[in-house]
Amino acid sequence: MSEQSCLFCKIIAKQIPVDFVHQDDRSVVIRDINPQAPTHLLVIPLEHIESLDEASQKEEELLGHLLRVAARVAKGEGLGESGYRSVINTGAGVGQSVFHLHVHVLGGRSMNWPPG
Ligand code: 5GP
Ligand code: ZN
């Protein structure tokens, strides 16, 4: 998918109005439109990377940043004590539907393991 037609690139460019839970020079965090838990956030890099599979060595630091932002916003949502799950779906076969890398942060309910 090209950046021009990418939903998350449009959100980042503010072509689609969305409230940002967090913003910094490398990422934004939004609430999922179809939440799968009481808290369901998406940590999205500003850079268009289609999936974790496409991330290269030069993105190593960015990947670490996304996980640290996930932890920070989870704590900001009060999930520090109860815990939260961070998920990256890679590929349509496991549920990736938006092909711009993002980390799901889910919490506020009990969860099973292994995930379905
Ligand atoms: P994926 O399925 O690629 O792992 O995750 C994409 C997520 O983006 C889904 O959980 C879906 O609900 C969410 N999503 C799709 N369209 C929109 C939108 O327009 N706004 C927001 N906030 N989330 C969206
Ligand atoms: Zn994109």
Side-chain angles (χ1 to χ4, degrees):
M1 183 185 286
S2 73
E3 294 174 43
Q4 285 75 24
S5 57
C6 171
L7 173 68
F8 287 171
C9 282
K10 286 181 184 163
I11 286 175
I12 289 162
K14 301 196 167 118
Q15 288 166 11
I16 298 170
V18 175
D19 287 334
F20 293 116
V21 175
H22 165 93
Q23 261 183 295
D24 62 59
D25 60 343
R26 285 175 283 175
S27 67
V28 297
V29 180
I30 63 173
R31 289 186 195 284
D32 198 291
I33 203 169
N34 182 24
Q36 301 301 311
T39 298
H40 187 171
L41 304 173
L42 302 172
V43 183
I44 307 171
L46 301 187
E47 185 184 336
H48 180 87
I49 303 165
E50 293 216 355
S51 75
L52 187 58
D53 227 28
E54 298 298 317
S56 63
Q57 197 174 11
K58 91 173 163 47
E59 275 94 36
E60 264 185 22
E61 208 183 311
L62 174 63
L63 293 173
H65 177 73
L66 299 177
L67 291 178
R68 281 178 43 79
V69 168
R72 197 188 320 164
V73 293
K75 283 186 201 124
E77 295 283 313
L79 299 173
E81 291 267 306
S82 56
Y84 51 89
R85 189 168 287 178
S86 311
V87 175
I88 301 175
N89 293 321
T90 304
V94 299
Q96 186 174 6
S97 59
V98 177
F99 287 83
H100 178 134
L101 176 67
H102 50 282
V103 183
H104 295 260
V105 179
L106 300 131
R109 65 167 170 83
S110 61
M111 290 184 198
N112 297 323
W113 190 262

